Amino acid sequence: MKKLLFVLITCSLVVILAACSGNSDADASEDGDTIRLGYQKGNTMNLLKARGTLDEALNEAGYNVEWKEFSMGAPLIEALNTDNIDFGHSSDVHSVLMQSGGHNVNYVASESPYPEGVALLAREGSGIETLEDVKGKVVGVTNGGNQHYLLLESLKQAGIGWDEVDMKFYKDASEGLMAFSNDEFEVFGTWDPFYAIVEDQNETHMILDGTDLIENRTFYLARDGFADEQREALTIILEELENMDQWANEEKREAAEILADELGLEPEPLEVAHERRQFGVQKMTEEIIANQQQLADTFYEAGLIDHEISVQEAVDAYDLDESIFPDNIE
């Protein structure tokens, strides 16, 4: 786990230096406070940036806006901890990994669960149909990724030992697809929109997805003090996130076209991915916290984190005032 966390933090420092070097979209006005937003490509924050609705709402309230792009959640959380951004989002797994490394993870809200967006696939004709068939097979996942968590959790719940499969780690989606295409592993753990691309380009079938196993959530996070210092801005951000989510639910094709352009992909895989999910902002309920704790506990058991952590403590530490939430988030 120390090696995994070292890689995450090293990436964090490199990306923060790049993201904070002046490559941002700031309003020309010098009046008013500047709200610094971190985002990763392919999610609701990316839609907000592309469509400009959050900029407009914050500008109307007297704020300037800066957008900073990150490759993944770990460097974004590092940027929150070093006061380089005010608000952003991260996957469930990176939130746990960074908290285990001693970083503050200030949970504000969550996206709706997306269990169907992560899956284990096998080639047609491979004879691998069920999780029981995975025993003894080479399974490709990213180390500490959502598909890694899906594999660990599904095996655990089925009573199959983690050492009964041969886990092979790949670096990113493109490397994983190439390795699967070259038969370097028999079972491929992947996630949307790349999951949709794999389905389209290869004759595969799904062994299982995250349904009834993992939630595969995105979490919205803030820097220390942001909720107290910029209450109005945080409320506007949450309101516009939910507005954008509801728009994406109604306009899945247009949302897919926007994100495809951002990601450099064709829109069809994004559209398939969007059909598998329901966008929406949710408060940090006991159930959501419990599911995130389940992830943390599984990672501890698997040796991906060195010590047990409490997600509830992270939520309680930020002490978020319920009045922060706008009327469109229940």
Side-chain angles (χ1 to χ4, degrees):
M1 182 270 164
K2 289 180 179 177
K3 181 178 179 181
L4 174 59
L5 190 59
F6 175 77
V7 170
L8 288 174
I9 293 174
T10 300
C11 291
S12 300
L13 294 173
V14 171
V15 177
I16 288 169
L17 290 172
C20 300
S21 63
N23 182 19
S24 62
D25 297 329
D27 186 79
S29 172
E30 295 183 2
D31 297 328
D33 294 332
T34 296
I35 305 302
R36 304 161 301 169
L37 303 170
Y39 78 102
Q40 302 164 64
K41 288 184 176 180
N43 218 302
T44 307
M45 289 288 286
N46 196 176
L47 285 172
L48 280 174
K49 179 180 183 295
R51 298 195 76 219
T53 52
L54 179 54
D55 295 68
E56 182 179 347
L58 286 170
N59 290 162
E60 287 180 357
Y63 298 98
N64 301 316
V65 180
E66 288 184 5
W67 288 93
K68 298 178 182 181
E69 182 187 333
F70 295 86
S71 60
M72 57 182 178
L76 190 150
I77 292 172
E78 182 74 21
L80 288 168
N81 274 244
T82 54
D83 196 23
N84 282 294
I85 59 172
D86 301 305
F87 185 89
H89 61 102
S90 174
S91 69
D92 45 10
V93 294
H94 276 147
S95 299
V96 162
L97 290 169
M98 293 300 280
Q99 184 184 347
S100 76
H103 293 73
N104 289 340
V105 178
N106 298 325
Y107 292 97
V108 174
S110 167
E111 270 291 313
S112 299
Y114 188 12
E116 295 180 353
V118 58
L120 302 180
L121 306 178
R123 291 191 179 283
E124 290 291 357
S126 66
I128 306 172
E129 302 290 338
T130 69
L131 191 61
E132 189 72 21
D133 298 328
V134 175
K135 290 196 293 186
K137 302 297 190 295
V138 179
V139 184
V141 293
T142 59
N143 194 11
N146 57 359
Q147 357 76 48
H148 192 183
Y149 176 44
L150 173 62
L151 176 63
L152 294 172
E153 192 63 32
S154 61
L155 292 172
K156 182 170 71 171
Q157 292 194 26
I160 300 172
W162 291 330
D163 60 352
E164 294 186 69
V165 302
D166 182 5
M167 297 185 200
K168 184 172 183 177
F169 299 124
Y170 62 86
K171 183 178 64 177
D172 53 33
S174 59
E175 181 179 280
L177 178 56
M178 181 174 294
F180 185 55
S181 300
N182 292 333
D183 296 321
E184 293 179 27
F185 35 76
E186 299 154 285
V187 177
F188 186 19
T190 186
W191 69 100
D192 272 332
F194 311 106
Y195 169 18
I197 294 172
V198 175
E199 286 183 304
D200 181 60
Q201 296 182 355
N202 300 267
E203 293 186 3
T204 63
H205 62 268
M206 182 186 70
I207 301 168
L208 56 81
D209 61 21
T211 303
D212 298 325
L213 288 166
I214 70 171
E215 295 205 324
N216 190 33
R217 287 182 181 268
T218 293
F219 288 96
Y220 294 114
L221 313 170
R223 65 164 173 81
D224 289 347
F226 183 59
D228 294 326
E229 298 164 15
Q230 302 288 1
R231 292 173 56 86
E232 179 188 37
L234 181 53
T235 299
I236 291 171
I237 292 168
L238 293 170
E239 182 175 26
E240 292 303 319
L241 279 167
E242 177 62 9
N243 287 341
M244 184 57 64
D245 274 342
Q246 295 312 312
W247 175 86
N249 285 330
E250 296 171 2
E251 305 293 342
K252 295 197 173 187
R253 175 66 187 186
E254 187 175 348
E257 289 175 347
I258 292 171
L259 293 181
D261 185 58
E262 293 285 320
L263 290 163
L265 301 172
E266 294 299 318
E268 286 74 20
L270 272 296
E271 193 170 13
V272 170
H274 288 178
E275 290 299 329
R276 285 197 264 255
R277 74 179 298 181
Q278 184 75 12
F279 292 88
V281 180
Q282 298 180 344
K283 297 178 183 178
M284 293 295 297
T285 65
E286 291 182 3
E287 181 180 359
I288 292 173
I289 294 169
N291 277 287
Q292 185 72 340
Q293 186 64 51
Q294 178 180 311
L295 188 163
D297 293 343
T298 297
F299 271 23
Y300 174 67
E301 292 170 31
L304 290 173
I305 59 178
D306 294 330
H307 58 274
E308 294 178 284
I309 61 171
S310 170
V311 175
Q312 184 70 61
E313 286 182 5
V315 173
D316 292 344
Y318 202 48
D319 193 24
L320 195 66
D321 192 328
E322 187 76 9
S323 65
I324 288 287
F325 289 93
D327 293 339
N328 64 345
I329 298 177
E330 298 179 359

